[in-house]
Amino acid sequence: MSPWWQDGVIYQIYPRSFADSNDDGVGDLAGILDRLDYLEWLGVDGLWLNPINPSPNKDWGYDVSDYCDVHPELGDMATLERLVTEAARRGIRILLDIVPNHSSDQHPWFQDSRSSRSAAHRDWYVWADGKDGGPPNNWQSVFGGPTWTLDETTGQWYLHNFLPEQSDLNWWTQDVWEAFDDILRFWFDRGIAGFRIDVAHGIVNDRELRDDPPDPDAAGRLKPVYSMNRPETHEIFRRWRKICEQYDPARLLVGETHVLDPVVMASYYGDGDELQLAFNFACVYAPFEAERLRRVIEQTEAAIPAGGWPVWTLSNHDVVRFPTRWCQGDEAKIRCALLVVLLLRGTPVLYYGDEIGLEQQAVPEEAVLDFAGNRDGARTPMRWSDEPGVGFTSEGVEPWLPFGSGPDVASQRDDPGSILTLCRDLLAVRRERDDLRAGAYASLPSPEGIWAWSRGAGHAIAVNLGESEATVDLTGTILVGTDRDRDGERVESGLRLGPAEGALLQT
Ligand code: GLC
Ligand code: CA
């Protein structure tokens, strides 16, 4: 029997933006509870929630001030436990986001750490003396500027790969390892099915704090070979995996392995003893073009070790939503993209709103909350209906981020031609057919502009991402076409596809 997440589909929820149960304009856990029937109807198997822990929200939850509690704006432990139970009744598991690279500077560990050089938690964070009146080395923060801030209290600098309010934990300290073992067990004991690991590739920093070399591919940038991507990270995952395996079913680790080289990404699967899933950003950043995308998928398939399992995603809370980034709002292309992500070999992760083709939203300058300035447009409230409050909250309530505009669930739900129906039907057909869950991927020969592949012995998929109509050498019956009028069509002498059209065939 394959583990649940291999057969299943994961749905990512940005909790502040999914559903607001108490009319304060902020989505919450009780709101997710209210929407479980919808998620069951859609047919997803797991929910990954972006961080729900207490946080000063400098980086919207990615600056954790207590790893073992729930942010009061989102709910409480009792509601979370209810969510786990109610989701389980519908065959849905709950995954949380864990942020081991850094904590908030408001976390009691850091508060103690910065208080004196002899504090009990001093070496839980990375402290170093400056060099020539400047920071200890040349490392650059992912969010710009140096990764170091001088702390007047003790006259030393502390490391932060992200914001100064996100102080990096020191994974050269054994106590930090043990603290995270306990955090994992704390949540697993409460029925949490696994974790998405934030900045998975960056947890360990070079012990000697060596300078990063220049990046040959990005002028003015450094290649983070010492500030991130250290080999010792693998040891953390091997250890965490052992903890996961002590539970039944084994808990899942999905890494935010933000590296572009498929071989480096695949290294985080270890020897089948590290992450079960490692996010594949090469695919996210690839253009939506047949040739280029096919190559990325082939490279990924080749890089992942035998027994390893790919994971595919098109959107998340950090990047421009795929209907905008890949499809420029063209519905036909959006339908093709969903067909692709749901029919590759691997676990698909949908981002809330993907299933209705929600586009990136324009957020007026005065409403911007992301300090990085550009991610809010992917984090706006879920559009459940076109009523005031868009079904996210009650009429008259000011949402934490603007509602934006675009499609909504209510108007698509009963429309057989909608993106939502397509998405739901694709989830259903996956569930019904072994080939579509477990069958091997193999690229098929196809004319320019078309990308075609087989799954197992009995199914094939083709999408035309080119500008003109073309025919691919396939025979069979269309099970699901992006043009739903073609469902059930017998294909005898090649599958003809117009631009931005795709189909799943039983061959
Ligand atoms: C990850 C998160 C992102 C966050 C960053 C720092 O990339 O996905 O939202 O800002 O880590 O925690
Ligand atoms: Ca709320």
Side-chain angles (χ1 to χ4, degrees), residues 456-475:
H459 292 83
I461 297 99
V463 279
N464 183 353
L465 303 180
E467 301 294 324
S468 39
E469 183 179 298
T471 298
V472 53
D473 186 15
L474 281 173
T475 54

Side-chain angles (χ1 to χ4, degrees), residues 400-463:
W400 81 291
L401 280 177
F403 296 125
S405 59
D408 60 73
V409 172
S411 62
Q412 291 198 16
R413 194 170 165 139
D414 300 319
D415 173 0
S418 70
I419 297 177
L420 180 56
T421 301
L422 172 69
C423 203
R424 180 170 183 253
D425 290 350
L426 287 169
L427 292 187
V429 79
R430 268 181 72 92
R431 247 190 328 273
E432 284 155 14
R433 292 169 185 257
D434 291 345
D435 267 359
L436 300 182
R437 293 191 313 276
Y441 168 96
S443 296
L444 296 173
S446 53
E448 204 186 313
I450 293 194
W451 168 30
W453 67 97
S454 60
R455 292 294 312 285
H459 292 83
I461 297 99
V463 279

Side-chain angles (χ1 to χ4, degrees), residues 337-490:
L338 287 166
L339 187 87
V340 167
V341 76
L342 294 172
L343 296 175
L344 288 170
R345 183 184 79 104
T347 301
V349 181
L350 294 173
Y351 185 48
Y352 79 100
D354 279 359
E355 75 272 34
I356 53 172
L358 185 64
E359 280 205 66
Q360 186 79 359
Q361 300 293 311
V363 175
E365 215 176 314
E366 63 278 9
V368 167
L369 294 176
D370 175 26
F371 67 87
N374 50 11
R375 296 178 296 181
D376 291 328
R379 301 173 176 179
T380 56
M382 178 65 167
R383 299 182 56 83
W384 296 100
S385 73
D386 63 359
E387 291 157 14
V390 303
F392 167 75
T393 190
S394 299
E395 180 168 5
V397 173
E398 187 70 28
W400 81 291
L401 280 177
F403 296 125
S405 59
D408 60 73
V409 172
S411 62
Q412 291 198 16
R413 194 170 165 139
D414 300 319
D415 173 0
S418 70
I419 297 177
L420 180 56
T421 301
L422 172 69
C423 203
R424 180 170 183 253
D425 290 350
L426 287 169
L427 292 187
V429 79
R430 268 181 72 92
R431 247 190 328 273
E432 284 155 14
R433 292 169 185 257
D434 291 345
D435 267 359
L436 300 182
R437 293 191 313 276
Y441 168 96
S443 296
L444 296 173
S446 53
E448 204 186 313
I450 293 194
W451 168 30
W453 67 97
S454 60
R455 292 294 312 285
H459 292 83
I461 297 99
V463 279
N464 183 353
L465 303 180
E467 301 294 324
S468 39
E469 183 179 298
T471 298
V472 53
D473 186 15
L474 281 173
T475 54
T477 304
I478 296 183
L479 294 176
V480 180
T482 57
D483 172 359
R484 303 306 300 271
D485 291 341
R486 296 187 68 177
D487 288 13
E489 181 183 314
R490 277 289 308 158

Side-chain angles (χ1 to χ4, degrees), residues 9-318:
V9 175
I10 295 174
Y11 184 95
Q12 180 192 351
I13 290 180
Y14 199 76
R16 296 181 69 85
S17 289
F18 198 59
D20 173 19
S21 71
N22 61 347
D23 292 346
D24 62 357
V26 177
D28 44 55
L29 297 181
I32 300 172
L33 255 164
D34 291 341
R35 299 294 178 174
L36 284 176
D37 288 342
Y38 165 76
L39 295 163
E40 182 186 20
W41 170 86
L42 181 60
V44 300
D45 304 273
L47 307 179
W48 149 34
L49 313 185
N50 284 97
I52 60 161
N53 304 120
S55 162
N57 281 340
K58 294 286 178 205
D59 190 16
W60 300 106
Y62 285 101
D63 46 328
V64 175
S65 54
D66 182 351
Y67 286 95
C68 294
D69 207 346
V70 174
H71 196 297
E73 272 186 311
L74 303 180
D76 54 21
M77 281 308 270
T79 316
L80 182 70
E81 282 173 22
R82 212 147 51 81
L83 180 62
V84 170
T85 311
E86 283 299 311
R89 288 208 310 124
R90 294 163 175 84
I92 298 174
R93 292 181 163 83
I94 306 290
L95 306 166
L96 298 182
D97 209 314
I98 193 166
V99 190
N101 180 67
H102 48 267
S103 75
S104 161
D105 65 341
Q106 300 304 308
H107 195 294
W109 298 339
F110 188 69
Q111 291 293 310
D112 179 54
S113 183
R114 77 180 343 170
S115 67
S116 89
R117 290 197 188 204
S118 59
H121 294 87
R122 183 65 173 181
D123 62 355
W124 284 44
Y125 294 84
V126 185
W127 292 97
D129 292 324
K131 231 165 63 193
D132 311 324
N137 67 18
N138 74 345
W139 295 355
Q140 292 170 336
S141 157
V142 173
F143 293 147
T147 49
W148 298 95
T149 292
L150 176 63
D151 199 47
E152 302 293 348
T153 318
T154 58
Q156 279 193 310
W157 300 69
Y158 70 90
L159 180 73
H160 49 85
N161 268 322
F162 295 86
L163 287 179
E165 293 87 353
Q166 293 170 301
S167 29
D168 266 48
L169 284 152
N170 181 9
W171 283 85
W172 292 101
T173 294
Q174 195 58 29
D175 288 344
V176 170
W177 290 63
E178 280 156 24
F180 274 85
D181 292 351
D182 291 346
I183 293 165
L184 293 181
R185 290 202 181 93
F186 176 88
W187 292 107
F188 292 163
D189 289 343
R190 281 159 183 77
I192 293 302
F195 280 107
R196 177 264 191 188
I197 305 166
D198 190 55
V199 203
H201 58 296
I203 302 175
V204 184
N205 314 108
D206 181 40
R207 190 171 206 167
E208 289 151 43
L209 306 178
R210 280 170 283 188
D211 277 347
D212 275 335
D215 186 344
D217 302 322
R221 295 289 301 174
L222 301 174
K223 215 174 149 77
V225 295
Y226 292 114
S227 53
M228 292 193 168
N229 301 305
R230 302 309 301 155
E232 297 82 7
T233 312
H234 296 282
E235 263 172 63
I236 301 180
F237 298 149
R238 280 193 287 271
R239 175 159 163 150
W240 287 12
R241 179 66 176 269
K242 285 201 187 107
I243 296 177
C244 288
E245 302 287 347
Q246 288 161 2
Y247 287 81
D248 183 24
R251 303 313 200 228
L252 170 63
L253 299 174
V254 193
E256 189 211 10
T257 40
H258 200 284
V259 291
L260 295 186
D261 181 337
V263 174
V264 180
M265 177 277 292
S267 73
Y268 290 103
Y269 287 84
D271 208 1
D273 56 356
E274 297 186 33
L275 307 180
Q276 291 101 327
L277 298 174
F279 271 124
N280 182 12
F281 284 87
C283 173
V284 175
Y285 297 135
F288 196 38
E289 290 166 21
E291 264 309 284
R292 304 268 298 274
L293 206 50
R294 177 167 61 78
R295 219 170 318 131
V296 171
I297 274 67
E298 287 171 353
Q299 284 167 351
T300 306
E301 281 280 356
I304 290 179
W309 192 251
V311 51
W312 306 105
T313 195
L314 302 183
S315 301
N316 66 38
H317 60 291
D318 291 327

